[in-house]
Amino acid sequence: SQTIHQWPATLVQPVGSPLSLECTVEGTSNPNLYWYRQAAGRGLQLLFYSVGIGQISSEVPQNLSASRPQDRQFILSSKKLLLSDSGFYLCAWTSPNLLHFGNGTRLTVT
Amino acid sequence: GNSVTQMEGPVTLSEEAFLTINCTYTATGYPSLFWYVQYPGEGLQLLLKATKADDKGSNKGFEATYRKETTSFHLEKGSVQVSDSAVYFCALSTNTGFQKLVFGTGTRLLVSP
Protein backbone atom coordinates (compact mmCIF):
# COMPACT_ATOMS: atom_id res chain seq x y z
CA SER A 1 0.00 0.00 0.00
CA GLN A 2 1.03 3.59 -0.50
CA THR A 3 2.28 5.71 2.38
CA ILE A 4 3.55 9.23 2.69
CA HIS A 5 6.18 10.32 5.19
CA GLN A 6 6.78 13.87 6.25
CA TRP A 7 9.32 15.20 8.74
CA PRO A 8 9.95 16.73 11.11
CA ALA A 9 6.58 16.85 12.84
CA THR A 10 7.35 20.14 14.58
CA LEU A 11 10.04 22.73 14.05
CA VAL A 12 10.92 26.02 15.72
CA GLN A 13 13.29 28.22 13.77
CA PRO A 14 14.52 31.80 14.21
CA VAL A 15 13.83 34.48 11.63
CA GLY A 16 16.48 34.49 8.93
CA SER A 17 17.43 30.83 9.33
CA PRO A 18 17.16 28.30 6.47
CA LEU A 19 14.46 25.67 6.15
CA SER A 20 14.27 22.20 4.68
CA LEU A 21 11.18 20.01 4.99
CA GLU A 22 11.18 16.61 3.38
CA CYS A 23 8.40 14.40 2.09
CA THR A 24 8.69 10.92 0.63
CA VAL A 25 6.08 8.61 -0.84
CA GLU A 26 6.26 4.83 -0.86
CA GLY A 27 4.37 2.24 -2.84
CA THR A 28 3.76 4.21 -6.00
CA SER A 29 5.77 5.60 -8.89
CA ASN A 30 5.68 8.95 -10.64
CA PRO A 31 3.13 10.47 -8.26
CA ASN A 32 1.94 14.05 -8.51
CA LEU A 33 3.21 15.76 -5.37
CA TYR A 34 2.01 18.87 -3.56
CA TRP A 35 2.96 21.21 -0.75
CA TYR A 36 0.12 22.96 1.06
CA ARG A 37 0.27 25.46 3.90
CA GLN A 38 -2.34 26.01 6.55
CA ALA A 39 -1.85 29.35 8.26
CA ALA A 40 -3.60 30.22 11.51
CA GLY A 41 -7.22 31.17 10.86
CA ARG A 42 -6.96 30.47 7.18
CA GLY A 43 -7.66 27.60 4.86
CA LEU A 44 -5.23 25.41 3.04
CA GLN A 45 -3.22 27.14 0.38
CA LEU A 46 -1.49 25.25 -2.42
CA LEU A 47 2.15 26.34 -2.56
CA PHE A 48 3.80 24.03 -5.10
CA TYR A 49 3.01 21.00 -7.17
CA SER A 50 5.17 18.64 -9.20
CA VAL A 51 4.28 16.19 -11.94
CA GLY A 52 7.78 14.70 -12.23
CA ILE A 53 11.45 14.89 -11.28
CA GLY A 54 12.74 18.42 -11.57
CA GLN A 55 9.31 19.77 -12.55
CA ILE A 56 8.02 22.33 -10.08
CA SER A 57 5.12 24.73 -10.42
CA SER A 58 4.60 27.54 -7.97
CA GLU A 59 1.09 28.67 -7.18
CA VAL A 60 1.85 31.81 -5.20
CA PRO A 61 4.86 34.11 -4.99
CA GLN A 62 6.59 33.72 -1.67
CA ASN A 63 9.73 33.19 0.31
CA LEU A 64 9.78 29.44 -0.26
CA SER A 65 11.00 27.09 -2.96
CA ALA A 66 10.49 23.43 -3.73
CA SER A 67 12.56 20.73 -5.38
CA ARG A 68 12.01 17.18 -6.51
CA PRO A 69 15.39 15.48 -6.76
CA GLN A 70 13.94 11.96 -6.94
CA ASP A 71 10.67 10.49 -8.17
CA ARG A 72 9.16 10.08 -4.72
CA GLN A 73 10.90 12.87 -2.83
CA PHE A 74 9.62 16.41 -2.50
CA ILE A 75 11.47 19.08 -0.53
CA LEU A 76 10.30 22.48 0.66
CA SER A 77 13.03 25.02 1.36
CA SER A 78 13.78 28.57 2.31
CA LYS A 79 17.07 30.43 2.48
CA LYS A 80 15.84 32.90 5.10
CA LEU A 81 12.64 32.34 7.06
CA LEU A 82 10.19 35.13 7.78
CA LEU A 83 7.73 35.35 10.66
CA SER A 84 4.93 34.99 8.13
CA ASP A 85 6.26 31.56 7.12
CA SER A 86 4.88 30.10 10.35
CA GLY A 87 2.15 27.56 9.74
CA PHE A 88 1.27 23.93 9.23
CA TYR A 89 2.83 22.47 6.09
CA LEU A 90 1.30 19.46 4.45
CA CYS A 91 2.72 17.28 1.73
CA ALA A 92 0.30 15.34 -0.45
CA TRP A 93 0.20 13.01 -3.43
CA THR A 94 -2.58 11.95 -5.77
CA SER A 95 -3.92 8.66 -6.85
CA PRO A 96 -6.08 9.17 -9.96
CA ASN A 97 -8.91 10.94 -8.20
CA LEU A 98 -7.93 11.45 -4.60
CA LEU A 99 -5.47 13.60 -2.69
CA HIS A 100 -3.62 11.88 0.18
CA PHE A 101 -1.97 13.94 2.88
CA GLY A 102 0.98 13.39 5.17
CA ASN A 103 0.70 14.22 8.87
CA GLY A 104 2.19 17.66 8.41
CA THR A 105 4.96 19.77 9.90
CA ARG A 106 4.12 22.55 12.28
CA LEU A 107 6.64 25.35 11.74
CA THR A 108 6.99 28.21 14.19
CA VAL A 109 9.28 31.04 13.20
CA THR A 110 10.37 33.13 16.19
CA GLY B 1 -11.89 32.08 -9.84
CA ASN B 2 -12.79 28.97 -7.90
CA SER B 3 -13.53 29.33 -4.22
CA VAL B 4 -15.12 27.57 -1.27
CA THR B 5 -16.91 29.25 1.61
CA GLN B 6 -17.52 27.48 4.90
CA MET B 7 -19.35 28.53 8.01
CA GLU B 8 -17.08 29.90 10.69
CA GLY B 9 -16.49 27.88 13.79
CA PRO B 10 -16.14 26.65 16.28
CA VAL B 11 -19.31 24.63 16.24
CA THR B 12 -19.97 23.36 19.74
CA LEU B 13 -22.42 20.48 20.23
CA SER B 14 -23.37 17.96 22.84
CA GLU B 15 -22.99 14.27 22.08
CA GLU B 16 -25.83 12.82 19.98
CA ALA B 17 -26.80 16.25 18.61
CA PHE B 18 -27.46 16.84 14.91
CA LEU B 19 -24.66 18.43 12.94
CA THR B 20 -24.73 20.67 9.89
CA ILE B 21 -21.67 22.44 8.54
CA ASN B 22 -22.49 24.67 5.60
CA CYS B 23 -20.36 24.82 2.49
CA THR B 24 -20.97 26.75 -0.72
CA TYR B 25 -18.74 27.01 -3.73
CA THR B 26 -18.00 29.07 -6.82
CA ALA B 27 -16.49 27.28 -9.78
CA THR B 28 -16.37 27.19 -13.52
CA GLY B 29 -17.51 23.99 -15.10
CA TYR B 30 -18.54 21.00 -13.04
CA PRO B 31 -16.26 20.48 -10.06
CA SER B 32 -15.95 17.48 -7.80
CA LEU B 33 -16.64 18.25 -4.15
CA PHE B 34 -14.97 16.86 -1.06
CA TRP B 35 -15.04 16.95 2.71
CA TYR B 36 -11.75 16.37 4.50
CA VAL B 37 -11.32 15.93 8.25
CA GLN B 38 -8.29 16.86 10.33
CA TYR B 39 -8.03 15.29 13.78
CA PRO B 40 -5.81 17.01 16.35
CA GLY B 41 -2.13 16.81 15.46
CA GLU B 42 -2.72 14.97 12.20
CA GLY B 43 -2.87 15.66 8.49
CA LEU B 44 -6.07 15.68 6.49
CA GLN B 45 -8.08 12.59 5.62
CA LEU B 46 -10.73 12.31 2.98
CA LEU B 47 -14.13 11.93 4.63
CA LEU B 48 -16.42 11.80 1.61
CA LYS B 49 -16.80 13.09 -1.92
CA ALA B 50 -19.30 13.65 -4.72
CA THR B 51 -18.39 14.01 -8.37
CA LYS B 52 -21.61 15.19 -10.00
CA ALA B 53 -24.84 17.00 -9.25
CA ASP B 54 -27.27 15.22 -6.91
CA ASP B 55 -24.61 12.70 -5.83
CA LYS B 56 -24.58 11.98 -2.12
CA GLY B 57 -21.28 11.18 -0.46
CA SER B 58 -21.38 9.31 2.82
CA ASN B 59 -18.93 7.84 5.32
CA LYS B 60 -18.85 7.17 9.08
CA GLY B 61 -22.40 8.48 9.47
CA PHE B 62 -21.61 11.75 7.70
CA GLU B 63 -23.43 12.75 4.51
CA ALA B 64 -23.27 15.56 1.99
CA THR B 65 -25.28 16.08 -1.19
CA TYR B 66 -23.95 17.91 -4.25
CA ARG B 67 -26.54 20.63 -4.95
CA LYS B 68 -25.80 22.36 -8.23
CA GLU B 69 -28.80 24.67 -8.04
CA THR B 70 -27.65 26.14 -4.73
CA THR B 71 -23.91 25.49 -5.29
CA SER B 72 -23.75 23.82 -1.91
CA PHE B 73 -22.30 20.71 -0.30
CA HIS B 74 -23.39 20.86 3.33
CA LEU B 75 -22.04 18.24 5.73
CA GLU B 76 -24.52 16.53 8.05
CA LYS B 77 -24.52 13.88 10.73
CA GLY B 78 -27.53 12.74 12.68
CA SER B 79 -25.81 12.03 15.99
CA VAL B 80 -22.30 13.29 16.70
CA GLN B 81 -19.82 11.66 19.04
CA VAL B 82 -16.98 13.12 21.07
CA SER B 83 -14.59 11.38 18.68
CA ASP B 84 -15.96 13.53 15.83
CA SER B 85 -14.25 16.59 17.32
CA ALA B 86 -11.95 17.80 14.56
CA VAL B 87 -11.58 20.44 11.87
CA TYR B 88 -13.63 19.84 8.74
CA PHE B 89 -12.61 21.22 5.35
CA CYS B 90 -14.81 21.54 2.32
CA ALA B 91 -12.96 21.48 -0.99
CA LEU B 92 -13.48 21.40 -4.73
CA SER B 93 -11.54 20.14 -7.68
CA THR B 94 -12.02 21.36 -11.22
CA ASN B 95 -10.91 18.06 -12.66
CA THR B 96 -7.86 19.19 -14.49
CA GLY B 97 -5.27 16.58 -15.43
CA PHE B 98 -4.31 16.32 -11.76
CA GLN B 99 -5.87 17.28 -8.51
CA LYS B 100 -5.57 20.91 -7.52
CA LEU B 101 -7.96 21.16 -4.66
CA VAL B 102 -9.31 24.50 -3.51
CA PHE B 103 -10.10 24.39 0.21
CA GLY B 104 -12.35 26.34 2.48
CA THR B 105 -11.00 27.80 5.70
CA GLY B 106 -12.12 24.87 7.80
CA THR B 107 -14.71 24.57 10.57
CA ARG B 108 -13.73 23.33 14.00
CA LEU B 109 -16.25 20.99 15.63
CA LEU B 110 -16.16 20.48 19.37
CA VAL B 111 -18.38 17.75 20.79
CA SER B 112 -18.81 17.50 24.55
CA PRO B 113 -20.04 14.44 26.47
Side-chain angles (χ1 to χ4, degrees):
Chain A
S1 63
Q2 301 92 350
T3 56
I4 180 167
H5 301 281
Q6 202 180 328
W7 67 92
T10 59
L11 190 59
V12 179
Q13 293 283 100
V15 168
S17 64
L19 173 74
S20 180
L21 302 181
E22 188 163 343
C23 170
T24 59
V25 180
E26 296 178 358
T28 186
S29 59
N30 197 30
N32 294 327
L33 297 173
Y34 306 79
W35 278 110
Y36 280 85
R37 177 171 60 198
Q38 182 182 11
R42 301 181 62 181
L44 282 165
Q45 181 183 38
L46 178 61
L47 302 177
F48 301 96
Y49 64 89
S50 171
V51 299
I53 296 174
Q55 301 179 61
I56 308 295
S57 296
S58 174
E59 288 292 291
V60 294
Q62 60 204 307
N63 183 43
L64 303 168
S65 61
S67 62
R68 186 167 176 177
Q70 300 181 45
D71 181 44
R72 290 171 290 175
Q73 184 184 31
F74 203 24
I75 298 172
L76 184 69
S77 304
S78 173
K79 292 182 180 178
K80 290 185 178 181
L81 284 169
L82 306 173
L83 286 174
S84 57
D85 291 325
S86 293
F88 192 52
Y89 290 83
L90 289 156
C91 181
W93 71 278
T94 48
S95 57
N97 296 303
L98 293 176
L99 193 65
H100 305 271
F101 287 90
N103 281 336
T105 296
R106 184 162 302 283
L107 171 65
T108 304
V109 182
T110 60
Chain B
N2 300 324
S3 66
V4 174
T5 302
Q6 283 182 244
M7 60 188 295
E8 289 192 22
V11 173
T12 304
L13 295 173
S14 298
E15 206 165 22
E16 299 184 1
F18 184 86
L19 168 71
T20 300
I21 299 178
N22 291 338
C23 170
T24 57
Y25 67 90
T26 301
T28 55
Y30 301 95
S32 294
L33 301 173
F34 305 82
W35 276 101
Y36 278 81
V37 58
Q38 183 181 28
Y39 297 104
E42 298 184 12
L44 276 70
Q45 305 171 27
L46 178 67
L47 180 59
L48 53 86
K49 66 171 183 172
T51 57
K52 61 183 187 297
D54 299 324
D55 268 3
K56 177 185 284 188
S58 62
N59 185 26
K60 300 181 180 179
F62 291 89
E63 292 183 340
T65 302
Y66 189 143
R67 301 287 188 198
K68 187 171 182 292
E69 64 276 12
T70 55
T71 62
S72 64
F73 193 54
H74 304 321
L75 183 67
E76 297 181 336
K77 187 175 184 182
S79 177
V80 294
Q81 305 300 313
V82 173
S83 57
D84 294 327
S85 298
V87 181
Y88 293 81
F89 291 89
C90 186
L92 68 83
S93 166
T94 54
N95 295 326
T96 55
F98 50 89
Q99 290 283 338
K100 287 176 67 177
L101 285 174
V102 175
F103 286 88
T105 54
T107 302
R108 183 174 298 278
L109 170 64
L110 301 171
V111 181
S112 56

